[in-house]
Amino acid sequence: MAALIDAIDIKRKMYFEFENAPYYCLDVEVSTPTARGGQTLVRFKMRNLLTRAVFDKTFKAGEKFKEPDLETIEASYLYSDSDASYFLDQESFDTIPLTAEKLGDALQFLTEGLIIKIDKFNGNPIGLQLPEKVELAVAYTEPGARGNTASGAVTKHARLETGLEIRVPFFVEEGEKVKVFTETREFAGRA
């Protein structure tokens, strides 16, 4: 049986189960009453890992939560079709499908063979974690012209192989591989 956690013991970046769904604690605030007999309350800013919704909720300090049955596995991206995107589990070699709702905008960073982490709740895939940076080829960018730096515009628009559009330095050419931060969608350097 999973261990029970008191609300007062849940800290930032912890996982817990509430109403049969896994949650991630983004922030926690404890309010202790000054009056005698008052109850200590714990306010969480929490993310539902199934729906990705973020909201605030207040609990009594003594309320108990189960530890969620979460597991993270490594998988490589295979391909996508109209139904889902498919990944290969690196240990069991099973194919794992993820629907567009579970992927979010992650498809803009996925290239064949990219190793990612898939989160599972009760054995079922619920989402994925991208690496900090990914390498993508530049599919289109305007040519960098000498003198463009005088106006302070040292970046230009580029469309990458996955359709992601970012700003890159003017010296980056079509066909070159660049590194992109997955969280901020910013240029991280040449590959």
Side-chain angles (χ1 to χ4, degrees):
M1 181 173 153
L4 293 177
I5 313 165
D6 285 336
I8 194 86
D9 294 329
I10 294 177
K11 308 289 182 230
R12 284 184 70 231
K13 298 185 179 182
M14 279 182 71
Y15 296 94
F16 61 97
E17 194 172 320
F18 174 64
E19 295 177 343
N20 297 320
Y23 283 85
Y24 178 72
C25 181
L26 298 166
D27 200 14
V28 64
E29 186 180 309
V30 178
S31 59
T32 309
T34 53
R36 288 174 50 146
Q39 287 196 336
T40 300
L41 299 176
V42 183
R43 182 179 180 88
F44 295 131
K45 181 172 189 167
M46 52 200 231
R47 169 176 280 133
N48 182 321
L49 295 177
L50 299 177
T51 64
R52 300 283 184 226
V54 175
F55 55 92
D56 293 340
K57 190 145 177 72
T58 304
F59 299 96
K60 294 176 185 167
E63 284 190 59
K64 298 195 180 300
F65 300 97
K66 287 197 307 190
E67 273 189 42
D69 178 17
L70 288 175
E71 174 188 13
T72 302
I73 60 162
E74 281 198 344
S76 62
Y77 175 66
L78 296 173
Y79 66 94
S80 295
D81 62 20
S82 60
D83 298 328
S85 294
Y86 300 89
F87 299 86
L88 182 68
D89 185 325
Q90 295 297 292
E91 285 185 24
S92 69
F93 299 108
D94 292 335
T95 302
I96 303 167
L98 285 178
T99 59
E101 300 87 56
K102 291 178 184 166
L103 282 178
D105 61 357
L107 257 181
Q108 294 183 323
F109 299 102
L110 296 176
T111 55
E112 190 176 317
L114 178 71
I115 301 289
I116 53 102
K117 291 183 178 359
I118 293 183
D119 296 323
K120 288 183 168 188
F121 175 63
N122 291 337
N124 299 315
I126 59 170
L128 64 97
Q129 299 173 29
L130 291 167
E132 181 186 1
K133 296 181 214 165
V134 293
E135 289 183 12
L136 297 170
V138 177
Y140 169 79
T141 187
E142 300 106 25
R146 280 202 169 289
N148 279 2
T149 57
S151 66
V154 293
T155 63
K156 61 184 179 179
H157 176 82
R159 186 171 52 252
L160 306 179
E161 62 184 306
T162 60
L164 178 66
E165 296 185 359
I166 64 168
R167 304 287 301 170
V168 296
F170 76 97
F171 55 79
V172 172
E173 302 292 328
E174 272 184 36
E176 253 185 274
K177 284 207 173 239
V178 294
K179 292 180 185 171
V180 180
F181 287 109
T182 54
E183 198 169 311
T184 60
R185 301 166 173 255
E186 292 175 352
F187 175 80
R190 284 179 161 157

